[in-house]
mmCIF file with all atom_site columns, all heavy atoms in Angstrom:
data_model
loop_
_atom_site.group_PDB
_atom_site.id
_atom_site.type_symbol
_atom_site.label_atom_id
_atom_site.label_alt_id
_atom_site.label_comp_id
_atom_site.label_asym_id
_atom_site.label_entity_id
_atom_site.label_seq_id
_atom_site.pdbx_PDB_ins_code
_atom_site.Cartn_x
_atom_site.Cartn_y
_atom_site.Cartn_z
_atom_site.occupancy
_atom_site.B_iso_or_equiv
_atom_site.pdbx_formal_charge
_atom_site.auth_seq_id
_atom_site.auth_comp_id
_atom_site.auth_asym_id
_atom_site.auth_atom_id
_atom_site.pdbx_PDB_model_num
ATOM 1   N N   . ILE A 1 121 ? 9.011  13.187 17.029 1.00 98.00 ? 121 ILE A N   1
ATOM 2   C CA  . ILE A 1 121 ? 9.906  12.003 17.240 1.00 98.00 ? 121 ILE A CA  1
ATOM 3   C C   . ILE A 1 121 ? 11.075 12.244 16.311 1.00 98.00 ? 121 ILE A C   1
ATOM 4   O O   . ILE A 1 121 ? 10.983 12.122 15.111 1.00 98.00 ? 121 ILE A O   1
ATOM 5   C CB  . ILE A 1 121 ? 9.293  10.670 16.968 1.00 98.00 ? 121 ILE A CB  1
ATOM 6   C CG1 . ILE A 1 121 ? 7.888  10.503 17.688 1.00 98.00 ? 121 ILE A CG1 1
ATOM 7   C CG2 . ILE A 1 121 ? 10.119 9.508  17.232 1.00 98.00 ? 121 ILE A CG2 1
ATOM 8   C CD1 . ILE A 1 121 ? 6.921  9.516  17.164 1.00 98.00 ? 121 ILE A CD1 1
ATOM 9   N N   . ARG A 1 122 ? 12.245 12.653 16.829 1.00 98.00 ? 122 ARG A N   1
ATOM 10  C CA  . ARG A 1 122 ? 13.354 12.956 16.009 1.00 98.00 ? 122 ARG A CA  1
ATOM 11  C C   . ARG A 1 122 ? 14.354 11.931 15.991 1.00 98.00 ? 122 ARG A C   1
ATOM 12  O O   . ARG A 1 122 ? 15.457 12.044 15.240 1.00 98.00 ? 122 ARG A O   1
ATOM 13  C CB  . ARG A 1 122 ? 13.971 14.350 16.530 1.00 98.00 ? 122 ARG A CB  1
ATOM 14  C CG  . ARG A 1 122 ? 13.028 15.572 16.312 1.00 98.00 ? 122 ARG A CG  1
ATOM 15  C CD  . ARG A 1 122 ? 13.732 16.883 16.526 1.00 98.00 ? 122 ARG A CD  1
ATOM 16  N NE  . ARG A 1 122 ? 12.948 18.069 16.344 1.00 98.00 ? 122 ARG A NE  1
ATOM 17  C CZ  . ARG A 1 122 ? 12.664 18.662 15.292 1.00 98.00 ? 122 ARG A CZ  1
ATOM 18  N NH1 . ARG A 1 122 ? 13.178 18.313 14.140 1.00 98.00 ? 122 ARG A NH1 1
ATOM 19  N NH2 . ARG A 1 122 ? 11.938 19.751 15.255 1.00 98.00 ? 122 ARG A NH2 1
ATOM 20  N N   . ASP A 1 123 ? 14.235 10.921 16.709 1.00 98.00 ? 123 ASP A N   1
ATOM 21  C CA  . ASP A 1 123 ? 15.192 9.724  16.669 1.00 98.00 ? 123 ASP A CA  1
ATOM 22  C C   . ASP A 1 123 ? 14.556 8.583  15.950 1.00 98.00 ? 123 ASP A C   1
ATOM 23  O O   . ASP A 1 123 ? 13.499 7.998  16.318 1.00 98.00 ? 123 ASP A O   1
ATOM 24  C CB  . ASP A 1 123 ? 15.468 9.384  18.175 1.00 98.00 ? 123 ASP A CB  1
ATOM 25  C CG  . ASP A 1 123 ? 16.519 8.277  18.210 1.00 98.00 ? 123 ASP A CG  1
ATOM 26  O OD1 . ASP A 1 123 ? 16.196 7.041  17.919 1.00 98.00 ? 123 ASP A OD1 1
ATOM 27  O OD2 . ASP A 1 123 ? 17.679 8.550  18.453 1.00 98.00 ? 123 ASP A OD2 1
ATOM 28  N N   . TYR A 1 124 ? 15.261 8.129  14.847 1.00 98.00 ? 124 TYR A N   1
ATOM 29  C CA  . TYR A 1 124 ? 14.724 7.125  13.968 1.00 98.00 ? 124 TYR A CA  1
ATOM 30  C C   . TYR A 1 124 ? 14.482 5.765  14.695 1.00 98.00 ? 124 TYR A C   1
ATOM 31  O O   . TYR A 1 124 ? 13.548 5.041  14.457 1.00 98.00 ? 124 TYR A O   1
ATOM 32  C CB  . TYR A 1 124 ? 15.575 6.963  12.737 1.00 98.00 ? 124 TYR A CB  1
ATOM 33  C CG  . TYR A 1 124 ? 14.906 6.109  11.694 1.00 98.00 ? 124 TYR A CG  1
ATOM 34  C CD1 . TYR A 1 124 ? 13.784 6.563  10.978 1.00 98.00 ? 124 TYR A CD1 1
ATOM 35  C CD2 . TYR A 1 124 ? 15.390 4.847  11.359 1.00 98.00 ? 124 TYR A CD2 1
ATOM 36  C CE1 . TYR A 1 124 ? 13.195 5.725  10.092 1.00 98.00 ? 124 TYR A CE1 1
ATOM 37  C CE2 . TYR A 1 124 ? 14.774 4.020  10.471 1.00 98.00 ? 124 TYR A CE2 1
ATOM 38  C CZ  . TYR A 1 124 ? 13.662 4.470  9.799  1.00 98.00 ? 124 TYR A CZ  1
ATOM 39  O OH  . TYR A 1 124 ? 12.995 3.635  8.820  1.00 98.00 ? 124 TYR A OH  1
ATOM 40  N N   . ASP A 1 125 ? 15.492 5.400  15.570 1.00 97.00 ? 125 ASP A N   1
ATOM 41  C CA  . ASP A 1 125 ? 15.307 4.163  16.339 1.00 97.00 ? 125 ASP A CA  1
ATOM 42  C C   . ASP A 1 125 ? 14.116 4.246  17.195 1.00 97.00 ? 125 ASP A C   1
ATOM 43  O O   . ASP A 1 125 ? 13.343 3.192  17.319 1.00 97.00 ? 125 ASP A O   1
ATOM 44  C CB  . ASP A 1 125 ? 16.542 3.916  17.132 1.00 97.00 ? 125 ASP A CB  1
ATOM 45  C CG  . ASP A 1 125 ? 17.710 3.558  16.195 1.00 97.00 ? 125 ASP A CG  1
ATOM 46  O OD1 . ASP A 1 125 ? 17.563 3.149  15.127 1.00 97.00 ? 125 ASP A OD1 1
ATOM 47  O OD2 . ASP A 1 125 ? 18.864 3.775  16.684 1.00 97.00 ? 125 ASP A OD2 1
ATOM 48  N N   . ASP A 1 126 ? 13.884 5.338  17.908 1.00 97.00 ? 126 ASP A N   1
ATOM 49  C CA  . ASP A 1 126 ? 12.643 5.548  18.736 1.00 97.00 ? 126 ASP A CA  1
ATOM 50  C C   . ASP A 1 126 ? 11.401 5.390  17.770 1.00 97.00 ? 126 ASP A C   1
ATOM 51  O O   . ASP A 1 126 ? 10.442 4.677  18.231 1.00 97.00 ? 126 ASP A O   1
ATOM 52  C CB  . ASP A 1 126 ? 12.567 6.904  19.415 1.00 97.00 ? 126 ASP A CB  1
ATOM 53  C CG  . ASP A 1 126 ? 13.627 7.127  20.445 1.00 97.00 ? 126 ASP A CG  1
ATOM 54  O OD1 . ASP A 1 126 ? 14.286 6.051  20.815 1.00 97.00 ? 126 ASP A OD1 1
ATOM 55  O OD2 . ASP A 1 126 ? 13.843 8.189  20.963 1.00 97.00 ? 126 ASP A OD2 1
ATOM 56  N N   . PHE A 1 127 ? 11.413 5.969  16.656 1.00 98.00 ? 127 PHE A N   1
ATOM 57  C CA  . PHE A 1 127 ? 10.304 5.886  15.724 1.00 98.00 ? 127 PHE A CA  1
ATOM 58  C C   . PHE A 1 127 ? 9.978  4.431  15.349 1.00 98.00 ? 127 PHE A C   1
ATOM 59  O O   . PHE A 1 127 ? 8.877  4.026  15.378 1.00 98.00 ? 127 PHE A O   1
ATOM 60  C CB  . PHE A 1 127 ? 10.581 6.770  14.471 1.00 98.00 ? 127 PHE A CB  1
ATOM 61  C CG  . PHE A 1 127 ? 9.601  6.472  13.348 1.00 98.00 ? 127 PHE A CG  1
ATOM 62  C CD1 . PHE A 1 127 ? 8.258  6.917  13.438 1.00 98.00 ? 127 PHE A CD1 1
ATOM 63  C CD2 . PHE A 1 127 ? 10.046 5.800  12.157 1.00 98.00 ? 127 PHE A CD2 1
ATOM 64  C CE1 . PHE A 1 127 ? 7.470  6.657  12.352 1.00 98.00 ? 127 PHE A CE1 1
ATOM 65  C CE2 . PHE A 1 127 ? 9.112  5.554  11.133 1.00 98.00 ? 127 PHE A CE2 1
ATOM 66  C CZ  . PHE A 1 127 ? 7.921  6.051  11.223 1.00 98.00 ? 127 PHE A CZ  1
ATOM 67  N N   . LYS A 1 128 ? 11.082 3.767  15.053 1.00 97.00 ? 128 LYS A N   1
ATOM 68  C CA  . LYS A 1 128 ? 10.894 2.328  14.590 1.00 97.00 ? 128 LYS A CA  1
ATOM 69  C C   . LYS A 1 128 ? 10.300 1.487  15.792 1.00 97.00 ? 128 LYS A C   1
ATOM 70  O O   . LYS A 1 128 ? 9.376  0.671  15.599 1.00 97.00 ? 128 LYS A O   1
ATOM 71  C CB  . LYS A 1 128 ? 12.266 1.644  14.171 1.00 97.00 ? 128 LYS A CB  1
ATOM 72  C CG  . LYS A 1 128 ? 12.867 2.265  12.882 1.00 97.00 ? 128 LYS A CG  1
ATOM 73  C CD  . LYS A 1 128 ? 12.188 1.664  11.661 1.00 97.00 ? 128 LYS A CD  1
ATOM 74  C CE  . LYS A 1 128 ? 12.798 0.327  11.385 1.00 97.00 ? 128 LYS A CE  1
ATOM 75  N NZ  . LYS A 1 128 ? 12.202 -0.195 10.050 1.00 97.00 ? 128 LYS A NZ  1
ATOM 76  N N   . GLU A 1 129 ? 10.754 1.790  16.992 1.00 97.00 ? 129 GLU A N   1
ATOM 77  C CA  . GLU A 1 129 ? 10.284 1.040  18.147 1.00 97.00 ? 129 GLU A CA  1
ATOM 78  C C   . GLU A 1 129 ? 8.740  1.357  18.307 1.00 97.00 ? 129 GLU A C   1
ATOM 79  O O   . GLU A 1 129 ? 7.908  0.421  18.475 1.00 97.00 ? 129 GLU A O   1
ATOM 80  C CB  . GLU A 1 129 ? 10.941 1.398  19.455 1.00 97.00 ? 129 GLU A CB  1
ATOM 81  C CG  . GLU A 1 129 ? 12.395 0.953  19.500 1.00 97.00 ? 129 GLU A CG  1
ATOM 82  C CD  . GLU A 1 129 ? 12.592 -0.592 19.425 1.00 97.00 ? 129 GLU A CD  1
ATOM 83  O OE1 . GLU A 1 129 ? 11.609 -1.293 19.783 1.00 97.00 ? 129 GLU A OE1 1
ATOM 84  O OE2 . GLU A 1 129 ? 13.627 -0.988 18.958 1.00 97.00 ? 129 GLU A OE2 1
ATOM 85  N N   . LEU A 1 130 ? 8.409  2.655  18.205 1.00 97.00 ? 130 LEU A N   1
ATOM 86  C CA  . LEU A 1 130 ? 6.977  3.048  18.425 1.00 97.00 ? 130 LEU A CA  1
ATOM 87  C C   . LEU A 1 130 ? 6.042  2.449  17.363 1.00 97.00 ? 130 LEU A C   1
ATOM 88  O O   . LEU A 1 130 ? 4.865  2.263  17.579 1.00 97.00 ? 130 LEU A O   1
ATOM 89  C CB  . LEU A 1 130 ? 6.926  4.553  18.433 1.00 97.00 ? 130 LEU A CB  1
ATOM 90  C CG  . LEU A 1 130 ? 7.451  5.199  19.727 1.00 97.00 ? 130 LEU A CG  1
ATOM 91  C CD1 . LEU A 1 130 ? 7.672  6.630  19.495 1.00 97.00 ? 130 LEU A CD1 1
ATOM 92  C CD2 . LEU A 1 130 ? 6.522  4.925  20.886 1.00 97.00 ? 130 LEU A CD2 1
ATOM 93  N N   . THR A 1 131 ? 6.593  2.191  16.080 1.00 97.00 ? 131 THR A N   1
ATOM 94  C CA  . THR A 1 131 ? 5.760  1.600  15.063 1.00 97.00 ? 131 THR A CA  1
ATOM 95  C C   . THR A 1 131 ? 5.817  0.089  15.120 1.00 97.00 ? 131 THR A C   1
ATOM 96  O O   . THR A 1 131 ? 4.995  -0.492 14.332 1.00 97.00 ? 131 THR A O   1
ATOM 97  C CB  . THR A 1 131 ? 6.321  2.013  13.630 1.00 97.00 ? 131 THR A CB  1
ATOM 98  O OG1 . THR A 1 131 ? 7.630  1.605  13.543 1.00 97.00 ? 131 THR A OG1 1
ATOM 99  C CG2 . THR A 1 131 ? 6.157  3.505  13.464 1.00 97.00 ? 131 THR A CG2 1
ATOM 100 N N   . GLY A 1 132 ? 6.533  -0.390 16.106 1.00 95.00 ? 132 GLY A N   1
ATOM 101 C CA  . GLY A 1 132 ? 6.595  -1.857 16.241 1.00 95.00 ? 132 GLY A CA  1
ATOM 102 C C   . GLY A 1 132 ? 7.418  -2.583 15.245 1.00 95.00 ? 132 GLY A C   1
ATOM 103 O O   . GLY A 1 132 ? 7.351  -3.778 15.079 1.00 95.00 ? 132 GLY A O   1
ATOM 104 N N   . HIS A 1 133 ? 8.342  -1.819 14.657 1.00 93.00 ? 133 HIS A N   1
ATOM 105 C CA  . HIS A 1 133 ? 9.348  -2.340 13.631 1.00 93.00 ? 133 HIS A CA  1
ATOM 106 C C   . HIS A 1 133 ? 10.769 -2.169 14.031 1.00 93.00 ? 133 HIS A C   1
ATOM 107 O O   . HIS A 1 133 ? 11.674 -2.209 13.214 1.00 93.00 ? 133 HIS A O   1
ATOM 108 C CB  . HIS A 1 133 ? 9.066  -1.762 12.251 1.00 93.00 ? 133 HIS A CB  1
ATOM 109 C CG  . HIS A 1 133 ? 7.720  -2.084 11.728 1.00 93.00 ? 133 HIS A CG  1
ATOM 110 N ND1 . HIS A 1 133 ? 7.291  -3.277 11.265 1.00 93.00 ? 133 HIS A ND1 1
ATOM 111 C CD2 . HIS A 1 133 ? 6.589  -1.303 11.612 1.00 93.00 ? 133 HIS A CD2 1
ATOM 112 C CE1 . HIS A 1 133 ? 6.056  -3.273 10.825 1.00 93.00 ? 133 HIS A CE1 1
ATOM 113 N NE2 . HIS A 1 133 ? 5.606  -2.046 11.050 1.00 93.00 ? 133 HIS A NE2 1
ATOM 114 N N   . GLY A 1 134 ? 10.985 -1.905 15.343 1.00 92.00 ? 134 GLY A N   1
ATOM 115 C CA  . GLY A 1 134 ? 12.343 -1.611 15.771 1.00 92.00 ? 134 GLY A CA  1
ATOM 116 C C   . GLY A 1 134 ? 13.052 -2.948 16.153 1.00 92.00 ? 134 GLY A C   1
ATOM 117 O O   . GLY A 1 134 ? 12.405 -4.037 16.032 1.00 92.00 ? 134 GLY A O   1
ATOM 118 N N   . LEU A 1 135 ? 14.356 -2.825 16.469 1.00 87.00 ? 135 LEU A N   1
ATOM 119 C CA  . LEU A 1 135 ? 15.138 -4.080 16.868 1.00 87.00 ? 135 LEU A CA  1
ATOM 120 C C   . LEU A 1 135 ? 14.502 -4.711 18.041 1.00 87.00 ? 135 LEU A C   1
ATOM 121 O O   . LEU A 1 135 ? 14.328 -5.951 18.047 1.00 87.00 ? 135 LEU A O   1
ATOM 122 C CB  . LEU A 1 135 ? 16.508 -3.653 17.205 1.00 87.00 ? 135 LEU A CB  1
ATOM 123 C CG  . LEU A 1 135 ? 17.470 -3.286 16.036 1.00 87.00 ? 135 LEU A CG  1
ATOM 124 C CD1 . LEU A 1 135 ? 18.773 -2.868 16.490 1.00 87.00 ? 135 LEU A CD1 1
ATOM 125 C CD2 . LEU A 1 135 ? 17.594 -4.529 15.105 1.00 87.00 ? 135 LEU A CD2 1
ATOM 126 N N   . ASN A 1 136 ? 14.056 -4.021 19.052 1.00 86.00 ? 136 ASN A N   1
ATOM 127 C CA  . ASN A 1 136 ? 13.464 -4.556 20.259 1.00 86.00 ? 136 ASN A CA  1
ATOM 128 C C   . ASN A 1 136 ? 12.130 -5.105 19.974 1.00 86.00 ? 136 ASN A C   1
ATOM 129 O O   . ASN A 1 136 ? 11.727 -6.219 20.467 1.00 86.00 ? 136 ASN A O   1
ATOM 130 C CB  . ASN A 1 136 ? 13.437 -3.498 21.352 1.00 86.00 ? 136 ASN A CB  1
ATOM 131 C CG  . ASN A 1 136 ? 14.805 -3.144 21.837 1.00 86.00 ? 136 ASN A CG  1
ATOM 132 O OD1 . ASN A 1 136 ? 15.701 -3.991 21.812 1.00 86.00 ? 136 ASN A OD1 1
ATOM 133 N ND2 . ASN A 1 136 ? 14.996 -1.877 22.248 1.00 86.00 ? 136 ASN A ND2 1
#
Side-chain angles (χ1 to χ4, degrees):
I121 305 163
R122 293 194 183 269
D123 183 283
Y124 189 68
D125 291 337
D126 289 349
F127 168 72
K128 291 281 281 186
E129 292 300 335
L130 286 166
T131 57
H133 297 288
L135 284 176
N136 294 328

